[in-house]
Amino acid sequence: MSTSAEKIVTSTHDGQKAEHKQRKWQDYFTFNTDHKVIGIQYLVTAFLFYFVGGALAEVMRTELATPEPDLVQPEFYNQIMTMHGTIMLFLWIIPAGAAFANFLIPLMIGAEDMAFPRLNAVAYWMFPIGGILLMSSFFVGPAQAGWTSYPPLSLVASKWGQEIWILSILILGTSTILGSINFITTILKMRMPDMDIHSMPLFCWSMLATSGLILLGTPVLAAALILLSFDLIAGTSFFNPAGGGDPIVYQHMFWFYSHPAVYIMVLPFFGIISEVLPVHARKPIFGYRAIAYSSLAIAFLGLIVWAHHMFTSGTPGWLRMFFMATTMVIAVPTGIKVFSWTATIWGGKINLNSAMLFGVGFISLFLIGGLSGIMVASVPFDIHVHDTYFVVAHFHYVLFGGSVLALFAGIYHWFPKMTGRMLNETWGRIHFALTYIGFNLTFLPMHQLGIQGMNRRVALYDAQFQSVNMICTIGSYILAVSTLPFVVNVLWSVFKGEKAGRNPWRALTLEWQTSSPPAIENFEEEPVLWAGPYEYGVDTEMIDEDSSIEEMLAEVSAEAK
Amino acid sequence: MQSSALDESKVTLNYHHEAAGHHGHPDHRMFGVILFLIGDSMTFLGFFAAFLIYRTMMPVWPPEGTPELELLVPIINTIVLVSSSFVMHQGQTAIKRNDVSGLRLWFGITAAMGAVFLLGQGYEYFHSELGLTTNLFASCFYALTGFHGLHVTVGVLLILSVLWRSRSKEHYSSGSHFGVEAAEIYWHFVDVIWVILFILVYLL
Amino acid sequence: MNIPSNIVTLIVGIVVTLLSLWYGQNHGLLPVAASSEAVQIDELFNFMMTVSTGLFLLIEGILIYSVIKFRRPKGDTTDGSPIEGNVPLEILWTAIPTVIVLILAIYSFEVYNAMGGLDPMAAHDMGPHTVARAESNSKENLIAFDPDRKQVALGLGVSPETKEGENQLVINVNGIQYAWIFTYPESGIVSGDMHIPVGRPVKLNITAGDVLHAFWLPEFRLKQDAVPGREVQLTFTPNRVGQYPIICAELCGAYHGGMKSQLYVQTEEEYQQWLQQNTLAQSDVESTLAANAASSSDSEFLAPLAAEIGVEADTIAQLHALHHHPLNAEL
Ligand code: HEA
Ligand code: HEA
Ligand code: CUA
Ligand SMILES: [Cu+2]
């Protein structure tokens, strides 16, 4: 199949026809309803916030290079720590997932646009607005109660910063809800007529699961934040023990959203990996249905494990046991994915380019984060390491080693589609090497720090941890440097990169059937579902035994010209 | 997908397909509205869950010294709101018969009933001995009824916008009246929420 | 090569198993364990570490092997073999994690039970000092959860194995920004650090005066949030003499990192000696601490101390953290 795919693909190089509307650069800076524009807008905005969040992380790491709080005041440390967590989660990784979803879903299912294009644009624009609002809290002193904003601390520290934090999370949350409504409707209702739900790309499955979680989880967070806001501004005491309230109720409401949120942050990237690996390993994805359904299983289980973040707070013993068991069960569907990905690579013809490097890097690092996740799910052990750097290590492994690495894999993979130009391979590999080394140097030692007794969210720590912290700090500098080759590569390639053509990877999903970048109406002619999304390797046998298909494909490619 | 090779029937089918769904835009808006309501119901679920946790965990509930809630006005309100759902449905039945003036009549009444509900709520707020910060129960009371009241307000505005648009006879017809249906399903939703809320806050 | 592949697999399997077993015991990550429960948790961790190492080596090994072995030769544009699944294999890798997770859950349950986590009496038997403490806080409504209703069972109770509930040393722990205050109801001692005799079960009643804190004893693998308005129990038996850090693990404000204290596990004689000394000095201590405990803001809290030695409050908090030698040096 793939050999014939190439024929089709390379034959149509001329891009859009004259009568098609042309994309103007201004489109990217205005209220535009095209899902591709919105996808790029999401991606670029998210990256801008990533640099802010990363820069804050570097300040934190520099502070933590020595045990004394000498670089910044402890109070300011807590503020940038809070902002780092909030930015990375709500302004970087969640919108970055939405970026890929926006760009890819309609293309992958052969639709012209999202179900509700205007709603989609509204959802996008709420994101920079919420983000800038959050940044503006630097003028009044940002929130300093951590991204979890537990009361009563959040009620007594940085009142206005906290209120701005609440408002901006409400805006960002609403934005994701609107987005998820769009994704679900588009995926379920707008697939091209012959694509049944079991022949749609796995990325769409993962977005279905993600959107379900957003829809069910985010409103509960909104409820919690509204009540918190009342406590903060109107003097009620829902969560304030001094007035008869209960801070633990906030924790339940917060984690009812925020645990599913961690899967909101990783499932889209699971989807990306399921797309990237088969293409560059030239093999069908191993266990399509298992991967598709495991996304749904993870989403479902994700809704009933939230109290594993509260093992040491006000959770009675038997509840801790229940939440421990449900949490551990998540290893099963996630394991199915990990093993299936591994089996996909096994026996393939791997093209170890940057996308694939990041893809394999993702599996290797997410695995570590997942294993430490199962460890912290065990109550007796979590009682020891809760709120320590062990947990910090866990979630950076799943969030950075997992989501962010997969995100880079996705960028190297779809950049040609998004811009029509290839990224430079050498610089891509350098980017990967630096990221991989820097990442492990930064976060692997943190496991040890946590177990040995270093608590998180501290600007000053015990002198015995200095040397290990120094290693982490050096690693984080390597990480900072690692973004440079990437940024340079992207900026250079957008203008000067090698032209990509329709389908540089000879991939089978529908987005590769259209020009790069795709025409405004996505497909110049009806897209053709002439193969499942992952039917690699079937070509040779097929064409030998059945020549009529050969003819048909020739016809298709003629039509495509 | 298992053992799949190139599916011949698919190829032929697709290739000659003139894509009915692709160019004619089927209307998915109702689907979207329902998804939105699922999300919205989770907000209320959050509030209700918090309320129930307080209720079951606190030694005394409502906290000592909380004045009894007056039941008369809320009961009238409940009756008004629940019956308004039926009134509103008449409006939709009317438009299905292409009867725009019927739609306007029934929706007008519904909006008025919604307004009565809001007024009743306002009356209750002003005559209640509870203040927002009196105690936890009072705060819950205001948060829950207030957030619901906000929804009723939005619902009334939706109905009014339907009325506004229906000034031109052509805007809604038996075949195309998404606005009418959306406003109605939203109103029923708000109604159901109220019944749950009423049982939780006033009766339990 | 002509070594049959199943022999290779077998050898690899044995090597991976041995490596995992070895590393699971020799990772050297855990600090000293100062109670028998801590030892059990360490064994649980070692078990998890063994399993994780095995999975890690297995999967990373396959990844590295694949990336090296299955590289596309230059110029080869053909695809790999069209394998789309393998039902027995998939059942296997669903079943194995299920079994592992089941074992782990049961094992964790056992350990947790042995720690007293499921003790139905946890947090129930509050005794009269609950009320007394509530009063001293002069915020009656702080106690949101009436312990007499016996509805909340938080923290860790008596281990069902030891049955040592009788001779407990009860200590009330109060977390305030940014210090721990320990009250010994038996002797009336109020202290900024904790002294306990080795071998005697200790029962802590933990609460907080302002925001959330968390009482963490790394060497005992114990942690419990201190929640204002709630009283939580933590029971343990130290079995190793020594000086251990007490750390606040829940973000509680700017100087959260400085909220540290010391736990002295002493021999019975040393402990008695300490008791006597402090009962004598009690009146002094009480006045200082009363002033401290009443205020909740850090500067206010530190002010009296600062005045004593003539430095800024902030500096104290920092110094305090650096030498992690607590404020009670002056007390
Ligand atoms: C992308 C985000 C992401 C993901 C995917 C995960 C995945 C998991 N997380 Fe994590 N987690 C976070 C983000 C994430 N987490 C964050 C941000 C926090 C901290 C929040 C804060 O306090 O600020 C956190 C904290 C956190 C805690 C609370 C710790 C504490 O504060 O004390 C717990 C406890 O149970 C936990 C568990 C898990 C588990 C069991 C998984 C599982 O899903 C992992 C499953 C994967 C695997 C297990 C690997 C692959 C499987 C196999 C190879 C099969 C065989 C394996 C076995 C049999 C074990 N996480
Ligand atoms: C996706 C999520 C994500 C990502 C990618 C990261 C990335 C990083 N994180 Fe983050 N982190 C969180 C999510 C994330 N973090 C969360 C949720 C918390 C918890 C917060 C809380 O407790 O409330 C946390 C907490 C946290 C802590 C613990 C703080 C504490 O408890 O006191 C630390 C400490 O080392 C840390 C470090 C880092 C580092 C070094 C990176 C690096 O990988 C960053 C690398 C990126 C860059 C370096 C950007 C590159 C650019 C530049 C530096 C150039 C400068 C700018 C311009 C060009 C404009 N993080
Ligand atoms: Cu007290 Cu942190
Ligand atoms: Cu979680």
Side-chain angles (χ1 to χ4, degrees):
Chain A
M1 181 64 51
S2 57
T3 35
S4 14
E6 183 153 53
K7 253 185 258 163
I8 303 177
V9 160
T10 43
S11 54
T12 10
H13 222 269
D14 41 10
Q16 298 117 324
K17 292 171 201 159
E19 73 250 0
H20 291 308
K21 262 197 292 172
Q22 288 295 322
R23 167 83 63 233
K24 300 193 298 288
W25 64 267
Q26 292 94 330
D27 291 352
Y28 290 99
F29 296 89
T30 49
F31 188 90
N32 191 292
T33 58
D34 184 331
H35 73 98
K36 299 181 290 301
V37 174
I38 293 175
I40 305 283
Q41 286 175 327
Y42 262 112
L43 198 58
V44 173
T45 321
F47 259 104
L48 293 179
F49 284 120
Y50 173 55
F51 296 141
V52 178
L56 293 179
E58 297 306 329
V59 179
M60 280 188 330
R61 276 313 332 164
T62 311
E63 161 63 59
L64 291 172
T66 55
E68 304 85 22
D70 38 14
L71 180 72
V72 294
Q73 285 299 305
E75 187 177 50
F76 186 64
Y77 177 88
N78 285 356
Q79 294 175 329
I80 54 178
M81 176 269 292
T82 304
M83 291 298 267
H84 164 72
T86 312
I87 290 171
M88 286 301 193
L89 301 183
F90 291 103
L91 299 174
W92 159 236
I93 211 74
I94 294 182
F100 282 97
N102 270 298
F103 190 88
L104 293 174
I105 288 175
L107 288 170
M108 283 181 160
I109 63 175
E112 261 181 1
D113 205 325
M114 286 292 201
F116 313 113
R118 246 183 310 157
L119 191 69
N120 205 17
V122 171
Y124 165 72
W125 281 101
M126 291 176 84
F127 158 41
I129 290 173
I132 290 168
L133 181 65
L134 186 66
M135 297 298 151
S136 75
S137 70
F138 272 110
F139 294 110
V140 297
Q144 47 175 304
W147 81 280
T148 48
S149 286
Y150 280 2
L153 182 63
S154 55
L155 299 175
V156 295
S158 300
K159 184 173 180 189
W160 291 107
Q162 193 66 46
E163 185 59 29
I164 292 178
W165 184 90
I166 292 176
L167 288 177
S168 86
I169 300 299
L170 284 174
I171 294 175
L172 296 167
T174 313
S175 155
T176 61
I177 294 177
L178 299 181
S180 72
I181 291 176
N182 235 322
F183 299 148
I184 297 181
T185 314
T186 310
I187 294 170
L188 290 182
K189 297 285 185 181
M190 310 253 300
R191 290 191 312 275
M192 55 185 289
D194 302 300
M195 183 184 283
D196 73 22
I197 198 150
H198 290 116
S199 51
M200 82 184 174
L202 285 166
F203 179 73
C204 298
W205 276 99
S206 70
M207 278 318 296
L208 204 56
T210 309
S211 305
L213 283 178
I214 293 176
L215 200 59
L216 296 178
T218 319
V220 178
L221 176 72
L225 293 184
I226 289 170
L227 296 184
L228 188 67
S229 193
F230 269 113
D231 278 6
L232 197 63
I233 300 299
T236 55
S237 32
F238 292 105
F239 306 132
N240 194 348
D246 184 5
I248 308 294
V249 174
Y250 172 85
Q251 298 183 9
H252 279 291
M253 295 175 85
F254 179 84
W255 289 114
F256 182 83
Y257 163 75
S258 291
H259 178 78
V262 308
Y263 296 113
I264 293 171
M265 293 171 223
V266 86
L267 281 170
F269 301 100
F270 285 173
I272 286 178
I273 288 301
S274 303
E275 300 301 329
V276 170
L277 294 185
V279 173
H280 300 282
R282 311 305 309 163
K283 260 190 76 200
I285 190 86
F286 194 97
Y288 174 93
R289 283 193 190 218
I291 292 184
Y293 294 151
S294 64
S295 294
L296 301 185
I298 290 174
F300 169 73
L301 288 170
L303 285 169
I304 52 166
V305 302
W306 73 88
H308 66 213
H309 296 271
M310 302 165 57
F311 282 153
T312 70
S313 67
T315 316
W318 59 273
L319 259 183
R320 299 190 200 189
M321 291 297 111
F322 169 79
F323 282 105
M324 171 175 84
T326 50
T327 304
M328 286 184 174
V329 170
I330 299 189
V332 176
T334 320
I336 290 177
K337 280 181 190 289
V338 169
F339 290 123
S340 300
W341 290 324
T342 319
T344 303
I345 306 180
W346 182 271
K349 301 223 166 154
I350 298 172
N351 177 7
L352 203 61
N353 52 22
S354 312
M356 195 62 173
L357 277 171
F358 274 101
V360 178
F362 158 87
I363 306 179
S364 71
L365 296 183
F366 177 78
L367 174 69
I368 300 178
L371 293 173
S372 64
I374 296 303
M375 292 181 180
V376 284
S378 166
V379 175
F381 181 62
D382 184 60
I383 288 178
H384 177 49
V385 294
H386 170 68
D387 265 332
T388 68
Y389 266 82
F390 190 87
V391 174
V392 176
H394 157 66
F395 67 71
H396 282 94
Y397 264 89
V398 277
L399 275 168
F400 194 110
S403 306
V404 177
L405 252 62
L407 186 150
F408 281 126
I411 288 183
Y412 283 98
H413 184 72
W414 280 294
F415 188 86
K417 184 48 66 183
M418 291 173 172
T419 62
R421 290 176 189 270
M422 306 296 285
L423 279 169
N424 179 294
E425 263 305 314
T426 316
W427 285 109
R429 282 163 209 227
I430 294 174
H431 174 209
F432 173 76
L434 285 176
T435 308
Y436 202 82
I437 295 169
F439 174 81
N440 283 300
L441 211 55
T442 313
F443 296 108
L444 196 62
M446 286 187 188
H447 291 104
Q448 187 193 352
L449 282 180
I451 296 182
Q452 301 258 315
M454 180 164 165
N455 45 349
R456 61 189 277 207
R457 295 170 165 174
V458 294
L460 49 158
Y461 57 87
D462 203 292
Q464 59 165 313
F465 302 122
Q466 158 137 39
S467 49
V468 183
N469 267 297
M470 190 53 113
I471 298 176
C472 300
T473 302
I474 292 169
S476 80
Y477 292 156
I478 299 180
L479 264 183
V481 172
S482 80
T483 37
L484 285 180
F486 174 74
V487 172
V488 173
N489 194 353
V490 165
L491 291 181
W492 188 83
S493 302
V494 165
F495 301 106
K496 296 263 165 65
E498 186 195 328
K499 281 251 181 356
R502 281 183 178 235
N503 193 352
W505 312 125
R506 299 181 296 124
L508 293 177
T509 39
L510 284 181
E511 77 271 22
W512 300 103
Q513 276 192 26
T514 184
S515 53
S516 304
I520 288 186
E521 68 283 19
N522 282 359
F523 298 95
E524 291 127 49
E525 54 278 304
E526 281 312 307
V528 178
L529 195 69
W530 48 273
Y534 308 108
E535 291 179 339
Y536 297 100
V538 288
D539 49 348
T540 29
E541 299 133 25
M542 277 311 302
I543 290 166
D544 287 349
E545 65 199 40
D546 193 347
S547 60
S548 73
I549 294 200
E550 179 90 287
E551 287 163 17
M552 224 176 308
L553 287 168
E555 202 184 341
V556 169
S557 65
E559 183 72 19
K561 269 178 205 166
Chain B
M1 289 299 301
Q2 301 288 43
S3 85
S4 73
L6 187 53
D7 185 340
E8 207 178 323
S9 63
K10 263 188 200 163
V11 175
T12 32
L13 254 176
N14 274 302
Y15 178 54
H16 298 291
H17 203 100
E18 270 313 307
H22 199 68
H23 290 302
H25 279 288
D27 192 347
H28 303 304
R29 284 176 297 178
M30 207 56 210
F31 192 78
V33 169
I34 290 170
L35 288 178
F36 173 78
L37 291 181
I38 293 177
D40 205 13
S41 65
M42 289 305 291
T43 326
F44 281 104
L45 194 88
F47 283 130
F48 292 160
F51 183 80
L52 280 172
I53 298 177
Y54 290 136
R55 213 190 107 80
T56 46
M57 299 287 277
M58 291 295 170
V60 244
W61 189 259
E64 257 169 76
T66 313
E68 276 288 308
L69 285 177
E70 195 60 59
L71 272 181
L72 181 66
V73 177
I75 286 181
I76 297 176
N77 255 350
T78 311
I79 295 170
V80 169
L81 199 63
V82 171
S83 39
S84 75
S85 261
F86 294 95
V87 173
M88 193 173 193
H89 193 66
Q90 294 303 310
Q92 203 209 44
T93 324
I95 195 63
K96 283 201 175 132
R97 293 190 311 262
N98 253 336
D99 174 5
V100 176
S101 47
L103 167 77
R104 292 176 62 87
L105 173 71
W106 293 114
F107 266 48
I109 300 178
T110 316
M113 291 170 92
V116 168
F117 177 90
L118 287 174
L119 286 176
Q121 190 96 65
Y123 175 88
E124 202 190 346
Y125 281 7
F126 279 111
H127 290 80
S128 168
E129 291 159 51
L130 293 176
L132 176 62
T133 56
T134 307
N135 61 29
L136 189 55
F137 176 80
S139 304
C140 285
F141 169 78
Y142 282 108
L144 287 176
T145 54
F147 196 64
H148 178 266
L150 206 67
H151 277 71
V152 177
T153 315
V154 172
V156 170
L157 292 178
L158 282 178
I159 296 175
L160 291 180
S161 86
V162 168
L163 288 175
W164 179 258
R165 288 181 177 188
S166 64
R167 281 168 311 144
S168 97
K169 286 275 177 215
E170 287 81 49
H171 194 88
Y172 294 113
S173 67
S174 59
S176 142
H177 50 269
F178 163 74
V180 175
E181 283 187 331
E184 187 181 342
I185 193 161
Y186 180 82
W187 194 256
H188 293 330
F189 166 78
V190 171
D191 208 358
V192 171
I193 294 290
W194 173 256
V195 174
I196 302 172
L197 195 160
F198 182 72
I199 295 173
L200 279 182
V201 176
Y202 292 91
L203 300 185
L204 278 184
Chain C
M1 263 183 272
N2 41 16
I3 310 166
S5 69
N6 40 3
I7 291 188
V8 177
T9 320
L10 190 71
I11 293 171
V12 169
I14 292 172
V15 170
V16 166
T17 315
L18 289 178
L19 274 177
S20 317
L21 285 172
W22 178 81
Y23 189 68
Q25 301 300 322
N26 296 286
H27 49 72
L29 290 173
L30 289 156
V32 201
S35 73
S36 58
E37 284 84 6
V39 174
Q40 292 192 35
I41 296 174
D42 290 0
E43 280 162 8
L44 171 67
F45 177 67
N46 289 350
F47 171 71
M48 296 196 291
M49 204 62 189
T50 310
V51 174
S52 300
T53 310
L55 287 163
F56 175 81
L57 292 175
L58 178 80
I59 296 173
E60 307 288 353
I62 296 177
L63 286 178
I64 292 169
Y65 179 81
S66 308
V67 161
I68 294 168
K69 181 81 197 298
F70 303 116
R71 284 285 271 287
R72 186 179 67 174
K74 256 210 151 55
D76 182 353
T77 55
T78 59
D79 291 349
S81 49
I83 303 161
E84 299 198 333
N86 179 335
V87 177
L89 196 60
E90 287 174 53
I91 291 177
L92 185 76
W93 69 47
T94 310
I96 290 180
T98 312
V99 172
I100 295 179
V101 154
L102 209 70
I103 295 172
L104 192 56
I106 295 172
Y107 188 3
S108 304
F109 178 88
E110 288 296 322
V111 174
Y112 188 58
N113 193 24
M115 291 163 71
L118 296 174
D119 174 15
M121 291 310 286
H124 285 183
D125 182 31
M126 288 300 185
H129 45 263
T130 305
V131 184
R133 292 192 39 71
E135 274 166 8
S136 73
N137 268 336
S138 75
K139 280 180 191 165
E140 238 122 326
N141 52 2
L142 254 181
I143 302 297
F145 293 81
D146 182 2
D148 294 328
R149 290 237 317 206
K150 301 196 190 299
Q151 275 192 324
V152 268
L154 302 179
L156 298 169
V158 181
S159 168
E161 284 166 11
T162 52
K163 299 259 178 265
E164 278 178 314
E166 306 82 41
N167 184 27
Q168 279 176 335
L169 169 64
V170 177
I171 305 174
N172 294 329
V173 180
N174 189 18
I176 55 169
Q177 283 171 327
Y178 301 96
W180 294 105
I181 313 254
F182 302 96
T183 316
Y184 290 67
E186 282 174 17
S187 51
I189 293 180
V190 180
S191 167
D193 47 16
M194 198 162 124
H195 293 251
I196 50 177
V198 67
R200 181 170 169 200
V202 183
K203 184 173 103 175
L204 306 177
N205 293 318
I206 303 174
T207 190
D210 34 43
V211 297
L212 298 175
H213 303 271
F215 182 85
W216 182 27
L217 294 174
E219 279 76 10
F220 295 77
R221 319 283 186 263
L222 284 179
K223 186 181 292 115
Q224 176 57 53
D225 282 15
V227 186
R230 280 192 176 185
E231 191 149 319
V232 186
Q233 221 187 54
L234 208 56
T235 318
F236 64 98
T237 312
N239 66 4
R240 196 173 172 283
V241 173
Q243 179 190 347
Y244 308 104
I246 299 173
I247 301 174
C248 172
E250 180 68 57
L251 178 61
C252 54
Y255 292 96
H256 159 59
M259 186 165 163
K260 282 186 185 157
S261 184
Q262 296 294 314
L263 166 63
Y264 298 91
V265 178
Q266 297 168 315
T267 58
E268 189 62 39
E269 303 84 71
E270 281 172 340
Y271 174 69
Q272 290 303 338
Q273 209 182 333
W274 176 82
L275 264 186
Q276 260 159 23
Q277 279 171 5
N278 280 270
T279 326
L280 292 178
Q282 189 55 32
S283 52
D284 280 20
V285 177
E286 220 152 37
S287 59
T288 327
L289 268 167
N292 293 340
S295 66
S296 54
S297 103
D298 56 350
S299 47
E300 275 175 64
F301 168 55
L302 295 162
L305 299 163
E308 253 178 66
I309 46 173
V311 278
E312 295 284 321
D314 281 9
T315 327
I316 289 213
Q318 298 182 12
L319 285 174
H320 160 52
L322 294 186
H323 306 286
H324 68 97
H325 210 80
L327 302 159
N328 11 284
E330 289 90 26
L331 297 182

